[in-house]
Amino acid sequence: MAKLKDIAKLANVSVSTVSRILNNDNSLSVTDNTKNKVLNAARQLNHPIKQKEKTTFAIIQWFSQDQEISDPYYLTLRRGAESFLKKNNVVVKRFFHDDLDIDNRLAQIDGILCLGKFSKKYVDKLKKYTRRIILLDMTLYPCREVSIVLDFDDAVKQVIQYLCIYGHRKIGYLGGIEFVDQSQEIYKDPRKESFIKYCRKFNIQYENYILEDKFSSESGYKMMTEMIYSQNLPTAIFAASDPIAIGALRALQDNGYKVPDDISIIGFDNIETVNFTTPPLTTVHSPSFDMGVLGAKILYYSISNQSKPMSIRIQMPCFLIERNSVKNINNLK
């Protein structure tokens, strides 16, 4: 049987590179061309090639299919994770957290990506299947797993500062309510907490302009209509998601208001649709796709290193995308 040095000579690479490729070392960074040269050389010299065992990850979604359709944020998050895993030939099993047969289907899982608002009790339950668990868009205290979230505080600070620069001193908030697992425990949205904090810091009037419902366009329309009928409108609205902002925009237009001439709106997420609203919406870009990729990478390389990912909380930065839904009202005072 040919030796590794024979394969290395034929493929014009080092012996260590041959060894790592033939042993399916996922931590090795080489081009596909180099990998194929080594494998072809091994076949040519009749050297046995070890078949790589398929890695299997589970993606468990906290939200329903209807929620994923109505708010593309979680869809983008999932697609980011799946895109990386597909490129690396990882088998993906996707579940909703309330699937009846989830216990049986989680057998022989190498790692789990949890998307959404999971309770500590639920995450602890998953640990009987694997210790490799990544939380996306959720923070548990104390931090025992890898948790990847958006830097909501800095994002909201950018929004309030931007509106202040444009002269807005009365700012409303349209938010969504989420629950942990299937319980009635309300998940405290950091966007709302940061909104209140920075409104107080910059002496913004906000107390009479806060409404919350669901993260959907329908809810945005409903909340904005309620605020219109109260006959007490702010000069600007910050919506906790783009679907909410789109619904609010439609409600304003249906009631004869012009955006941004009569009232300004800023959304959150930067979904593709906001490029095509009238007017195009100023919004906050949230790197949800990249968050999914990062979570999948950390989980994947923990398999390569044969280790459990270290406990860490990662915040990903967001940034404001300026379009045409905010008016400078400084000259109107």
Side-chain angles (χ1 to χ4, degrees), residues 60-63 73-74 97 114-120 122-123 135-140 149 152 178-183 185-191 215:
I60 304 180
Q61 300 177 209
W62 156 86
F63 43 89
Y73 170 78
Y74 285 116
H97 71 97
C114 293
L115 277 59
K117 309 303 187 292
F118 291 89
S119 67
K120 181 179 182 301
Y122 190 92
V123 173
L135 305 178
L136 300 180
D137 194 47
M138 177 67 187
T139 297
L140 291 176
V149 296
F152 288 114
E178 295 178 313
F179 298 92
V180 178
D181 292 341
Q182 289 295 309
S183 70
E185 178 188 349
I186 295 177
Y187 180 76
K188 293 182 179 180
D189 191 337
R191 278 165 291 204
F215 282 95

Side-chain angles (χ1 to χ4, degrees), residues 154-156 158-159 162-163 166 238 242 245 265-277 279-287 317-326:
D154 182 68
V156 175
Q158 291 179 54
V159 169
Y162 177 79
L163 291 173
Y166 276 63
F238 170 49
D242 284 338
I265 299 180
I266 293 181
F268 197 101
D269 287 335
N270 194 32
I271 65 175
E272 185 177 1
T273 309
V274 298
N275 288 288
F276 305 101
T277 56
L281 282 173
T282 294
T283 188
V284 175
H285 174 75
S286 62
C318 305
F319 53 89
L320 194 69
I321 302 290
E322 186 176 3
R323 295 193 179 96
N324 306 117
S325 63
V326 176

Side-chain angles (χ1 to χ4, degrees), residues 17-213:
T17 298
V18 171
S19 176
R20 294 175 71 182
I21 289 175
L22 294 182
N23 284 286
N24 298 305
D25 186 347
N26 292 325
S27 65
L28 176 64
S29 178
V30 295
T31 65
D32 290 339
N33 182 52
T34 298
K35 184 176 181 181
N36 290 332
K37 281 170 60 178
V38 170
L39 294 176
N40 289 333
R43 293 188 187 98
Q44 187 175 336
L45 296 173
N46 296 316
H47 188 284
I49 299 175
K50 182 180 177 181
Q51 293 298 314
K52 181 179 179 181
E53 294 183 4
K54 287 280 188 177
T55 300
T56 303
F57 288 164
I59 292 180
I60 304 180
Q61 300 177 209
W62 156 86
F63 43 89
S64 67
Q65 285 181 308
D66 290 340
Q67 287 173 304
E68 187 178 63
I69 293 171
S70 65
D71 187 351
Y73 170 78
Y74 285 116
L75 176 61
T76 306
L77 183 62
R78 174 171 64 81
R79 284 178 173 171
E82 290 178 339
S83 69
F84 175 83
L85 298 177
K86 183 179 179 181
K87 289 178 182 177
N88 288 277
N89 299 312
V90 176
V91 176
V92 176
K93 295 184 178 181
R94 187 156 62 97
F95 313 101
F96 294 97
H97 71 97
D98 55 353
D99 284 354
L100 296 178
D101 60 343
I102 193 169
D103 288 333
N104 294 327
R105 298 172 67 189
L106 284 176
Q108 306 301 316
I109 289 293
D110 297 301
I112 297 175
L113 287 164
C114 293
L115 277 59
K117 309 303 187 292
F118 291 89
S119 67
K120 181 179 182 301
K121 181 179 179 181
Y122 190 92
V123 173
D124 287 342
K125 175 184 173 183
L126 295 177
K127 290 178 182 177
K128 69 181 181 181
Y129 304 106
T130 178
R131 303 294 293 184
R132 297 185 179 98
I133 298 174
I134 309 290
L135 305 178
L136 300 180
D137 194 47
M138 177 67 187
T139 297
L140 291 176
Y141 296 98
C143 182
R144 303 296 187 198
E145 284 74 38
V146 175
S147 173
I148 307 176
V149 296
L150 300 176
D151 189 351
F152 288 114
D153 189 72
D154 182 68
V156 175
K157 182 180 180 181
Q158 291 179 54
V159 169
I160 301 303
Q161 286 182 323
Y162 177 79
L163 291 173
C164 284
I165 291 171
Y166 276 63
H168 296 276
R169 310 305 301 176
K170 295 181 179 180
I171 303 174
Y173 174 85
L174 301 182
I177 299 175
E178 295 178 313
F179 298 92
V180 178
D181 292 341
Q182 289 295 309
S183 70
Q184 292 303 305
E185 178 188 349
I186 295 177
Y187 180 76
K188 293 182 179 180
D189 191 337
R191 278 165 291 204
K192 179 183 176 184
E193 295 179 342
S194 295
F195 173 80
I196 293 173
K197 179 176 76 173
Y198 289 112
C199 281
R200 289 174 175 172
K201 180 176 180 179
F202 297 112
N203 297 315
I204 301 297
Q205 295 182 44
Y206 71 92
E207 294 88 345
N208 298 322
Y209 312 120
I210 292 181
L211 292 173
E212 294 177 282
D213 194 17

